[in-house]
Amino acid sequence: MEAHLHPEFPLDPSTPNKAQPAYWVGPRHLAGDDGRLYDTVADTLAGLGWTSLTIVRGRHEPDEAQEDRQVLRSTVLHISPDTLRWAQWVLADEPFQLGELPIAWQVSARADTSSPLAAWSGYFTPDVPGEALAEFLVALDARDQPDAPLGGPEMVLDAVTAHGWFRDIDQPRAGAMDATFASHLSFGEVPPLIQDGDPRALTAAADEAGTSGWQAWAEPVLGAPCLWAASFGASVPHDLVAMFANALSSTAPVLRRVLPESTRERLLRAPAS
């Protein structure tokens, strides 16, 4: 038995939700993760045949009962059969923040097995809709070469504008937002600490512009904390980001039991009965 470092983000957060009423809600980009972001992704990866490993580091004193063991850090790692791609549930490891939110999932890929270093990584905070991250991972799994570029930035914008999002009036070729101006997608300088295999990400001077990659976030109230955020390194193929964007902006309703407090009143809902 292990004690989780952050009990508010358990490895199996679906358990307390089962007794709550379920609703079909939309729009999905404001619907949160239902408190099941780990389960949704882990179930998707298990279905794809990925292997999961739990890495636990703690302290166990002599004569101490197993249930009293102090777990200091715990990471769940999912690895694809060819070991070229992996996903880490890092929330219990006190990860760095993105948009003042902790990172929950880090997804990475490499060109071949001869290098232990990732060619690119993507980062996702809690309340990213699980459907969007699952779609991203299914597309990643289907690729023969997970690091090979395919298509350009335009395909990402096409994915969301097909669902009614609008291009940014100031940067129509690099940004879009939903009709309520709550959720955003932008192609620009990558935030600090985002790992990427592009050498420019490591060699850029402090006063130089860094590499560009896709960022997505939901800010339901201007100036208030974000609901969720996602960041893609500069080398993440655009077609994979487009799959995430397509699922994120889809107009199809999603099943939810837990509604985010900040968007509860903005969601359309119907009982799932």
Side-chain angles (χ1 to χ4, degrees):
M1 172 181 284
E2 66 179 61
H4 298 121
L5 187 61
H6 295 287
E8 67 272 28
F9 295 115
L11 292 181
D12 183 12
S14 63
T15 304
N17 299 343
K18 293 179 179 178
Q20 296 174 314
Y23 298 91
W24 289 106
V25 304
R28 70 169 59 180
H29 58 88
L30 297 179
D33 62 11
D34 204 30
R36 301 189 68 255
L37 189 57
Y38 174 79
D39 300 85
T40 300
V41 172
D43 289 349
T44 298
L45 296 178
L48 295 172
W50 290 33
T51 300
S52 64
L53 304 171
T54 301
I55 305 170
V56 177
R57 293 170 290 280
R59 185 167 56 241
H60 194 181
E61 301 294 339
D63 303 322
E64 182 181 41
Q66 183 66 24
E67 60 267 22
D68 294 331
R69 177 186 177 190
Q70 300 179 54
V71 174
L72 303 181
R73 294 169 67 85
S74 177
T75 298
V76 181
L77 177 66
H78 299 257
I79 307 173
S80 66
D82 62 7
T83 72
L84 293 180
R85 52 215 104 191
W86 59 94
Q88 301 176 71
W89 172 258
V90 295
L91 197 58
D93 270 350
E94 296 185 335
F96 68 88
Q97 294 189 330
L98 182 65
E100 299 184 353
L101 297 170
I103 303 297
W105 281 101
Q106 177 179 342
V107 179
S108 304
R110 57 181 175 172
D112 55 68
T113 57
S114 64
S115 172
L117 301 178
W120 57 257
S121 292
Y123 302 81
F124 308 86
T125 73
D127 274 323
V128 167
E131 295 83 359
L133 182 46
E135 193 77 12
F136 175 81
L137 289 164
V138 169
L140 170 61
D141 182 80
R143 266 175 154 263
D144 291 332
Q145 296 178 292
D147 67 314
L150 180 61
E154 197 70 18
M155 66 192 310
V156 179
L157 298 174
D158 288 345
V160 295
T161 55
H163 293 148
W165 287 36
F166 299 103
R167 289 177 182 257
D168 189 310
I169 192 171
D170 297 319
Q171 296 180 304
R173 299 180 64 85
M177 62 194 72
D178 79 292
T180 67
F181 305 101
S183 295
H184 305 260
L185 191 65
S186 177
F187 186 69
E189 186 173 353
V190 176
L193 303 179
I194 300 301
Q195 299 177 16
D196 194 83
D198 189 330
R200 294 174 298 170
L202 301 176
T203 60
D207 58 347
E208 294 179 345
T211 54
S212 294
W214 286 102
Q215 318 302 315
W217 68 95
E219 187 181 15
V221 179
L222 185 63
C226 290
L227 171 63
W228 58 262
S231 181
F232 301 88
S235 300
V236 178
H238 294 294
D239 65 301
L240 295 181
V241 182
M243 295 302 292
F244 174 85
N246 178 71
L248 176 72
S249 60
S250 172
T251 57
V254 290
L255 192 64
R256 293 291 187 268
R257 290 182 171 84
V258 178
L259 304 180
E261 193 65 35
S262 62
T263 60
R264 184 183 300 268
E265 302 305 320
R266 303 178 65 165
L267 294 170
L268 300 175
R269 69 187 87 167
S273 59

